[in-house]
Amino acid sequence: MCSSDLVAPLLADRAAAWLFWFALGAAAITGITWTMLGQPDQAVVRVITVLVIACPHALGLAIPLVVAISTERAARAGVLIKERGALERMRTITTVVFDKTGTLTKGQPALALVEAVSGHTEADVLTLAAAAEADSEHPLARAIVRAAQDRGLQVPAASGFTSQPALGVSARVDGAEVRVGGPRLRDEARAGDPLSGSETHNAGLTRLYVLRDDRVIGALSLADEVRPESAHAVAALHRLGVRVAMITGDTQSVADRVAAQLDIDTVLAEVRPEEKAARVARLQAAGERVAMVGDGVNDAPALAQADVGLAIGAGTDVAIASAGVILAGDDPRAVVSVIELSRASYRKMLQNLWWAAGYNLVSVPLAAGVLAPIGITLPMEVGAILMSVSTVVVALNAQLLRRLDLRPDRPGV
């Protein structure tokens, strides 16, 4: 937990400490002064009035009441605050990093194109790829298997399935080793690229090569639809003065296609799962205050590394456990709501602290009797009323947070 986690609590503690010494000193000076003036009875009355005025009821409500209302408002908007410090830190965030698949996009890619090397048919390529991907839970694998089923292809059984994150899968199909993966898989197998002249190389699609015994026999191109809410979320974050970055294991062309649609500031493409936390740390080292939004197991280290981790509620348990804020839905606009709530809550905290501690600077001298020479003194019962009024003002000011509209689909977001 970084030091800014406790900014508001420390501010309240510091104000309470100063108020204690201020009230104690004022009471002592008041008692001594009135006693020296030969009015011990008045000294007792003035000291009691000073202590009643300085009673820190309002200060005790200044922070906890704001926190309670903020948490309730967030819950109603579908945001679970696991760590209070995370909500406080969101007001300082300068860059929000979104994982691409399943966060900015729907995470449900569809097969767009099948290409086959001479000597093979498109049906051969798709059939072998579907057989190798049959045991994988990755969204791209599900899309390949679904496309083979939709085309009525007979997919043979596979054995010896293995998967390597950010590289690809492999399995034995009809006695041959079939591998499916991106350019890194092709390069590792040193298979070359017989489809290098294809226009899909720069089309911004996710391109997977199909290798049989380490020879490229074809390629599959898939597209992942961008959520319509993502563009609104990015635009709203820009209006708040927050930069937006996108991190993904997809190729640069795929990432650039999505970034161009959403007007994203920074694109981090071809990032292995184990590299995501390091990329977040690199942004932090450059002076950015980073919030990371993700939903998968491979996002967990980055969520923990970020100043604030926000997990999609439909994501994995590991991601949720690593985050300080959980978004119940999958609408990226909820991130905007969290930032706005954080900023509004902090403003209320400061306002309440200034009122709770500041009014004592005026009322305590009056209670001590500084205007007694001109015939003005503050009755004890009036002091009690003023103390209660300060508590009511703090409570009412905190209640104004309930007017904050945090719905992700509200107008203007």
Side-chain angles (χ1 to χ4, degrees):
M1 182 181 296
C2 63
S3 59
S4 62
D5 293 357
L6 302 175
V7 168
L10 285 178
L11 191 59
D13 293 344
R14 194 178 303 119
W18 279 107
L19 178 60
F20 168 77
W21 290 112
F22 175 69
L24 186 63
I29 293 173
T30 299
I32 293 172
T33 301
W34 282 100
T35 300
M36 291 178 63
L37 292 174
Q39 300 185 49
D41 292 341
Q42 189 66 15
V44 173
V45 172
R46 293 297 100 207
V47 167
I48 293 175
T49 305
V50 166
L51 294 177
V52 168
I53 282 284
C55 183
H57 283 179
L59 196 60
L61 286 174
I63 299 299
L65 192 55
V66 171
V67 171
I69 294 175
S70 299
T71 303
E72 182 267 340
R73 296 306 300 165
R76 286 183 177 274
V79 178
L80 174 62
I81 307 299
K82 282 181 55 185
E83 176 197 347
R84 193 184 82 184
L87 178 61
E88 293 183 12
R89 290 194 299 276
M90 280 301 291
R91 68 183 175 83
T92 67
I93 292 300
T94 59
T95 297
V96 175
V97 179
F98 287 96
D99 177 56
K100 180 183 79 69
T101 305
T103 305
L104 292 177
T105 64
K106 292 185 176 180
Q108 296 178 342
L111 183 65
L113 181 66
V114 180
E115 300 169 274
V117 173
S118 179
H120 299 274
T121 66
E122 293 183 6
D124 292 337
V125 174
L126 182 55
T127 298
L128 290 175
E133 296 277 18
D135 291 328
S136 174
E137 295 298 327
H138 194 282
L140 295 178
R142 297 294 88 204
I144 293 171
V145 173
R146 186 167 57 250
Q149 293 172 342
D150 292 343
R151 298 188 185 193
L153 300 177
Q154 294 296 320
V155 179
S159 60
F161 172 82
T162 60
S163 175
Q164 294 178 273
L167 192 62
V169 303
S170 64
R172 299 291 298 181
V173 183
D174 291 337
E177 182 185 28
V178 177
R179 306 175 72 185
V180 183
R184 285 185 177 179
L185 176 65
R186 180 203 63 203
D187 295 341
E188 183 190 77
R190 298 180 180 178
D193 188 359
L195 299 169
S196 58
S198 172
E199 294 180 358
T200 59
H201 268 281
N202 298 312
L205 302 176
T206 299
R207 186 181 179 86
L208 299 179
Y209 290 90
V210 182
L211 286 70
R212 181 175 182 178
D213 292 331
D214 286 338
R215 295 185 60 185
V216 175
I217 65 169
L220 308 174
S221 296
L222 301 97
D224 189 3
E225 185 179 355
V226 175
R227 294 183 186 278
E229 304 89 359
S230 297
H232 298 293
V234 173
L237 288 170
H238 284 161
R239 288 195 294 271
L240 293 175
V242 178
R243 292 176 57 82
V244 179
M246 181 182 70
I247 191 166
T248 178
D250 289 338
T251 61
Q252 190 69 51
S253 61
V254 173
D256 287 341
R257 179 180 67 87
V258 175
Q261 293 182 49
L262 300 178
D263 192 25
I264 287 174
D265 303 297
T266 304
V267 179
L268 306 174
E270 300 181 23
V271 180
R272 289 177 177 269
E274 64 271 18
E275 296 173 346
K276 288 186 176 182
R279 292 299 188 94
V280 170
R282 194 178 302 174
L283 289 172
Q284 292 172 319
E288 299 291 333
R289 300 278 295 175
V290 181
M292 171 71 190
V293 187
D295 65 344
V297 173
N298 57 16
D299 295 325
L303 291 170
Q305 173 64 42
D307 295 283
V308 180
L310 298 99
I312 302 296
T316 64
D317 292 341
V318 176
I320 292 173
S322 303
V325 177
I326 299 173
L327 309 179
D330 53 11
D331 192 333
R333 292 177 296 182
V335 178
V336 180
S337 300
V338 178
I339 293 178
E340 291 178 339
L341 177 62
S342 177
R343 293 181 179 182
S345 298
Y346 190 72
R347 285 195 299 270
K348 289 300 177 188
M349 289 179 184
L350 289 181
Q351 291 168 6
N352 281 356
L353 286 174
W354 274 111
W355 173 260
Y359 94 104
N360 286 280
L361 297 176
V362 175
S363 57
V364 168
L366 288 176
V370 294
L371 298 182
I374 60 175
I376 299 177
T377 58
L378 187 68
M380 191 184 303
E381 57 272 20
V382 174
I385 293 174
L386 287 178
M387 181 270 291
S388 299
V389 167
S390 69
T391 303
V392 172
V393 169
V394 166
L396 290 176
N397 190 45
Q399 293 295 328
L400 293 177
L401 276 175
R402 298 187 184 278
R403 301 167 56 186
L404 193 63
D405 188 357
L406 299 176
R407 292 173 300 143
D409 59 348
R410 66 189 182 279
V413 178

